[in-house]
Amino acid sequence: MGSRRTPGLKLNTGAMMINRLTSEERASELADLRGWQAVAGRDAIQRHFRFADFNEAFGFMTRVAIKAQEMNHHPEWFNVYNRVEITLSTHEADGLTSRDIELARFIDSIAPGPLSA
Amino acid sequence: MGSRRTPGLKLNTGAMMINRLTSEERASELADLRGWQAVAGRDAIQRHFRFADFNEAFGFMTRVAIKAQEMNHHPEWFNVYNRVEITLSTHEADGLTSRDIELARFIDSIAPGPLSA
Amino acid sequence: MGSRRTPGLKLNTGAMMINRLTSEERASELADLRGWQAVAGRDAIQRHFRFADFNEAFGFMTRVAIKAQEMNHHPEWFNVYNRVEITLSTHEADGLTSRDIELARFIDSIAPGPLSA
Amino acid sequence: MGSRRTPGLKLNTGAMMINRLTSEERASELADLRGWQAVAGRDAIQRHFRFADFNEAFGFMTRVAIKAQEMNHHPEWFNVYNRVEITLSTHEADGLTSRDIELARFIDSIAPGPLSA
C-alpha cells in the first residue's frame, strides 16, 4: 500500500524555527477550539476528556498517538480508566505554537461530543 | 512536547515519483532482510510472524501501525491470535520499492527473535 | 484504579463446552447484526469495514483488540489502509457460536455508520 | 478464533472483597518487583520507564492497556514522548492489593531491561 497524500514537498516543521503564538493569535486560536484551557504557570493548553469506558478512552489515545508521531509532536497526557487529560506545548519554542493548535484541532475532531468535559 | 528529529528538510517521498527496485537491487535488499519472501504472482514481499500470544502480537502491530502512518506507507496484513502476516508493496509504483524495504527493516528491528517464523 | 463491573461470579466461558448455533439461532442472530455475511465453505461470518483513513481504521482495530482479549475470543482479520475485513468463528466449536455473536455485536456498536460497507 | 485458556472456573475478583496487603506482604511483594517505589502519602506503587522513542513507549502502553482491561484493573499513567510513569493502587480497597502486584508483574515482564529507570 502506498501514499495517498496530495503531491508537493513537505517540510519537516519540527526542524525549523517555530515561533510561539502572539497573545492575539493565542486568543483567536483558543476561541476556535473546544474546551481547551490555558495551564496556570505555563504557556500550554489542556483539555480533559471523559469516555464511556477504558476501551473507548484507549481507542482515542491510539488515534492521538498515531497522529502525534506523524506530526512528530507529542502530547503530555494522563489517563485513568475513562478519563484522559492532555497538555500541549512546544518544547523547542518553550510555549504554545501553531503545531499545538494543529494537534488540538485533530484531537477535537475525533473526541466524542456529549461525554467529553 | 516537541520534535526531536535532527534538523534538515524532509521530503515527502510518497509524493514523488518512486521507482520499482531493479532485479539486482531487489536481490541485494532481500538478502539483508530477515525472513521476507517474494509473493507468487505479485511484485511484493511477505513475512510471517508468530508471537507468544495475542497481547504481544497486537503490541507489535501497534508499533508497525505508528511507523506506517509516519511513513505514509501502509502494510497489507492479516492477524489471528498470535500470528501476523505482513505483505509489502508500493501501490503507486505497482511493485516493490525502497519504501517497502525501509518499512521491512523497521519491522525486522522490532520483531521478536526466536519465536518469529 | 479498580473494578467497575457489577458484582457476580463470572464464568470463563472459553473453558466450557460451547455449542455451535443451530440453523434457527444462526438465522435469528444474523438478522440482528449489521452487514455480517456467511463465509462460503465455512461456518463463520464476515464483515467488511471502510474508514476515512488508516488512523480511524487502526483506532477501531485497537478497540476490537482490547475487547477480544477481554473475551479471550479473537478475530481473524485483514487490514490495508482504511479497509478492515473481520471473520469470526469459534475454533473449539469448529463453527459459529454465541461468542462470535457477542463480539460481532460489540464491533457493530463501535463501527462507523455511513462509511462502513 | 477461540479460547486458549486452561480449563476451570474463573472468578471475577473485581467483584469480590479484596483486601489490602499487610505490611509484611507488601514488603515481600515489592522486593520481588523491579523498580517499583511506594508513593508518598498514598497506599500505591509507582514505576518510571524510559524507552528508545515514542513508538516503543506507545507499543508498551498498548500491551499494558490490553492486559489491564483483561484484568479489569486499570493503571493511572502519564506519558510524554519516551517516558511512561505508572501508578498502581486498588480503588475498591483504597490501597495496594494482590491485583496491583499481578499487574506490576506483567508490566515488569514486558518492560525493556536496560533503558528503564
Side-chain angles (χ1 to χ4, degrees), chain D:
Chain D
M1 274 297 302
S3 169
R4 294 169 195 237
R5 284 211 186 115
T6 48
L9 284 179
K10 183 191 174 197
L11 297 179
N12 180 348
T13 51
M16 299 188 301
M17 188 64 80
I18 185 161
N19 295 317
R20 291 170 61 171
L21 299 179
T22 64
S23 302
E24 290 73 19
E25 290 167 334
R26 206 176 190 289
S28 164
E29 295 287 13
L30 274 173
D32 281 348
L33 297 175
R34 288 197 292 146
W36 293 84
Q37 305 289 338
V39 175
R42 259 185 86 182
D43 189 14
I45 55 174
Q46 188 174 69
R47 185 175 167 196
H48 292 206
F49 301 86
R50 190 175 290 273
F51 297 89
D53 53 25
F54 180 74
N55 185 298
E56 190 180 51
F58 200 78
F60 165 80
M61 290 177 71
T62 300
R63 295 194 63 184
V64 175
I66 291 171
K67 180 68 172 184
Q69 183 61 30
E70 187 182 2
M71 292 182 61
N72 195 22
H73 191 64
H74 303 88
E76 301 171 32
W77 52 1
F78 172 83
N79 162 248
V80 59
Y81 193 62
N82 66 336
R83 291 193 294 116
V84 180
E85 299 172 8
I86 304 182
T87 302
L88 301 177
S89 187
T90 302
H91 189 256
E92 308 90 301
D94 196 28
L96 205 65
T97 69
S98 58
R99 306 182 71 214
D100 301 303
I101 303 301
E102 181 184 348
L103 184 52
R105 282 212 186 100
F106 173 79
I107 291 169
D108 282 357
S109 76
I110 66 166
L115 282 166
S116 62

Side-chain angles (χ1 to χ4, degrees), chain A residues 1-12 14-15 62 65-66 69-70 72-76 89-92 99-100, chain B residues 1-12 14-16 62 65-66 69-70 72-76 89-92 99:
Chain A
M1 274 294 302
S3 169
R4 295 167 194 236
R5 282 209 187 116
T6 48
L9 285 179
K10 184 192 172 196
L11 299 178
N12 181 347
T62 300
I66 292 172
Q69 184 60 29
E70 187 182 3
N72 195 23
H73 190 64
H74 303 89
E76 301 172 33
S89 187
T90 302
H91 189 255
E92 309 90 303
R99 305 181 73 215
D100 301 304
Chain B
M1 272 297 301
S3 168
R4 294 167 195 237
R5 283 207 186 119
T6 50
L9 285 178
K10 184 193 173 195
L11 300 178
N12 180 346
M16 298 187 301
T62 299
I66 291 172
Q69 183 61 29
E70 187 182 4
N72 195 25
H73 191 64
H74 302 90
E76 302 170 32
S89 188
T90 302
H91 189 255
E92 308 91 300
R99 306 181 71 216

Side-chain angles (χ1 to χ4, degrees), chain B residues 28-92:
Chain B
S28 163
E29 295 287 14
L30 275 174
D32 281 349
L33 297 175
R34 287 197 291 146
W36 293 83
Q37 305 289 339
V39 175
R42 259 186 88 181
D43 190 14
I45 55 175
Q46 189 174 70
R47 186 176 167 194
H48 293 205
F49 301 86
R50 190 175 291 273
F51 296 88
D53 53 26
F54 179 74
N55 185 299
E56 190 181 50
F58 200 78
F60 164 81
M61 290 177 72
T62 299
R63 295 196 62 184
V64 174
I66 291 172
K67 179 68 172 184
Q69 183 61 29
E70 187 182 4
M71 292 182 60
N72 195 25
H73 191 64
H74 302 90
E76 302 170 32
W77 51 1
F78 171 83
N79 162 248
V80 59
Y81 194 60
N82 67 336
R83 292 192 293 116
V84 180
E85 299 173 9
I86 304 183
T87 302
L88 301 177
S89 188
T90 302
H91 189 255
E92 308 91 300

Side-chain angles (χ1 to χ4, degrees), chain C residues 2-89:
Chain C
S3 170
R4 292 168 197 237
R5 283 209 186 117
T6 47
L9 284 179
K10 182 192 173 197
L11 299 178
N12 181 348
T13 51
M16 297 188 301
M17 189 63 79
I18 185 161
N19 295 317
R20 291 171 61 171
L21 298 180
T22 63
S23 302
E24 290 74 18
E25 289 168 335
R26 207 176 188 291
S28 163
E29 295 288 13
L30 274 174
D32 280 348
L33 297 174
R34 288 197 291 146
W36 293 83
Q37 305 288 339
V39 175
R42 257 185 89 182
D43 190 15
I45 55 174
Q46 189 175 68
R47 185 175 166 195
H48 293 206
F49 301 87
R50 190 175 290 273
F51 296 89
D53 53 26
F54 179 73
N55 185 299
E56 190 181 50
F58 200 78
F60 164 81
M61 289 176 71
T62 300
R63 296 195 61 186
V64 174
I66 292 171
K67 179 68 173 184
Q69 183 60 30
E70 187 183 2
M71 292 181 60
N72 195 22
H73 190 64
H74 303 88
E76 301 171 33
W77 51 1
F78 172 84
N79 162 247
V80 59
Y81 194 62
N82 67 336
R83 290 193 292 117
V84 180
E85 299 173 9
I86 304 181
T87 303
L88 301 176
S89 187

